[in-house]
Amino acid sequence: MRTFPPYGAEMGCVCFSETTIEHLRFLLGDGRYLPWGIVLTREQVLLKGGGTVACIQEEKTLAKFKEAGLDHWAVRTGGFTDWTHEWEWRIPWHRPKMRLGEVRAILVPDASWRPVPKGEELPELWVKSRIWVWNAKEKKVGEHEPGTLV
């Protein structure tokens, strides 16, 4: 994984969107977002030092987050920017690494996609993780048990 500072922040983070399957259909169904992702549980995000993002409308309050070096924990809302449709989680990370047991699933755009093999083998994360496949035509996620899409 690679980290990037969220808009307006300085600290690199891994960003996640907490969503229901119905909302996932909305996010992916209108084509604004691509169906790629790593799925974690809330507990896994918290154990990695992550948490939820504060939605801030007032510039003074947002400035206080920035002054405290915590601007990566806040997102501006109001006016033309409204992020309240999602529940965003972030993990501030300099060198993100995940262990196999920490990944709940991997989300990919179609069942024929495969990662680049390491030598002749597919990466262990791919072989030992649940794979969620986005079906754009049916607007639903299909779940595949570990090792079935090798």
Side-chain angles (χ1 to χ4, degrees):
M1 286 188 285
R2 295 184 300 167
T3 63
F4 296 94
Y7 181 77
E10 294 181 26
M11 164 103 44
C13 296
V14 178
C15 301
F16 298 90
S17 178
E18 180 177 342
T19 185
T20 63
I21 292 296
E22 292 76 28
H23 193 243
L24 188 63
R25 283 188 191 110
F26 168 75
L27 289 173
L28 299 177
D30 69 0
R32 290 189 312 161
Y33 298 97
L34 298 174
W36 295 96
I38 294 177
V39 181
L40 304 179
T41 65
R42 288 180 192 164
E43 180 183 29
Q44 290 162 329
V45 173
L46 292 169
L47 288 171
K48 289 287 185 186
T52 58
V53 174
C55 292
I56 308 295
Q57 285 189 335
E58 296 180 9
E59 285 296 327
K60 287 182 182 179
T61 305
L62 199 58
K64 289 180 183 178
F65 272 83
K66 190 164 189 76
E67 289 167 16
L70 299 172
D71 52 344
H72 55 284
W73 288 116
V75 65
R76 188 184 188 301
T77 60
F80 294 108
T81 56
D82 182 7
W83 300 101
T84 56
H85 64 280
E86 68 175 285
W87 191 254
E88 185 176 352
W89 292 68
R90 293 179 182 166
I91 304 174
W93 245 339
H94 294 289
R95 292 186 177 92
K97 292 184 180 179
M98 298 293 301
R99 293 189 179 110
L100 284 174
E102 296 171 328
V103 174
R104 179 159 182 237
I106 299 169
L107 174 66
V108 297
D110 69 72
S112 66
W113 185 87
R114 297 295 180 275
V116 175
K118 290 184 173 187
E120 294 188 28
E121 302 285 325
L122 289 170
E124 189 177 14
L125 182 63
W126 179 262
V127 175
K128 294 189 176 179
S129 298
R130 288 180 168 272
I131 308 298
W132 290 4
V133 177
W134 172 248
N135 183 322
K137 188 176 182 178
E138 296 180 20
K139 294 188 178 184
K140 69 178 189 177
V141 173
E143 296 187 38
H144 299 268
E145 293 296 320
T148 58
L149 292 182
V150 287

